[in-house]
């Protein structure tokens, strides 16, 4: 499988698109994640407090009606970028998803959005 074919399959776009996101410290070693997310033609500003950015984004997706459970997470550096591979689940269906970014958090969030699109878009 070519790299292009791999990314087309596992880092797929879809109805859920992340516009922007930020993370700030919150109480008791938690973080607050704020995100602008588009689902189809709706654009929303969302936020959640969790133990980390991935947990917060998972909570945001749940609140938006796009629940995704992470079963496995693998991460590595590839050509100077961070690549994340997630095995995600929704209603008993599982799918692998891929995301990449400058940081581990960026790659995790990209993979989570890809996972939501793969599971909920088909």
């Amino acid at each position: 499988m070519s790299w292009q074919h791999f990314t087309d399959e596992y880092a797929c776009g879809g109805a859920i698109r992340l516009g922007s996101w930020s993370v700030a410290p919150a109480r008791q070693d938690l973080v607050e994640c704020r995100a602008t997310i588009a689902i189809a033609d709706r654009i929303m500003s969302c936020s959640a407090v969790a133990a980390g950015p991935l947990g917060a984004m998972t909570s945001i997706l749940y609140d938006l009606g796009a629940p995704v459970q992470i079963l496995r997470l693998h991460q590595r550096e590839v050509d100077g970028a961070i690549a994340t591979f997630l095995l995600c689940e929704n209603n008993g269906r599982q799918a692998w998803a891929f995301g990449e970014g400058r940081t581990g958090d960026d790659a995790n969030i990209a993979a989570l959005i890809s996972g939501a699109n793969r599971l909920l878009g088909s």
Side-chain angles (χ1 to χ4, degrees):
M1 177 182 290
S2 71
W3 183 249
Q4 184 63 50
H5 184 77
F6 175 83
T7 58
D8 288 347
E9 179 73 20
Y10 296 100
C12 66
I16 303 169
R17 298 173 314 280
L18 180 65
S20 64
W21 72 285
S22 63
V23 178
R27 66 192 188 297
Q28 300 176 341
D29 292 330
L30 300 174
V31 297
E32 180 178 19
C33 181
R34 295 184 179 273
T36 302
I37 296 180
I39 298 181
D41 59 352
R42 292 182 316 157
I43 299 174
M44 295 152 279
S45 294
C46 311
S47 68
V49 175
L54 194 55
M57 189 61 74
T58 300
S59 179
I60 288 171
L61 288 173
Y62 178 85
D63 291 344
L64 294 174
V68 175
Q69 181 178 0
I70 299 168
L71 302 178
R72 292 189 185 159
L73 183 151
H74 302 279
Q75 197 172 71
R76 62 184 320 161
E77 185 176 341
V78 177
D79 294 330
I82 304 299
T84 295
F85 307 87
L86 295 179
L87 178 59
C88 301
E89 182 177 60
N90 173 273
N91 288 330
R93 290 187 56 234
Q94 295 182 1
W96 281 99
F98 168 76
E100 61 185 337
R102 288 185 354 261
T103 68
D105 288 337
D106 290 340
N108 290 344
I109 300 304
L112 183 60
I113 298 295
S114 292
N117 280 317
R118 293 197 77 217
L119 288 168
L120 304 169
S122 55

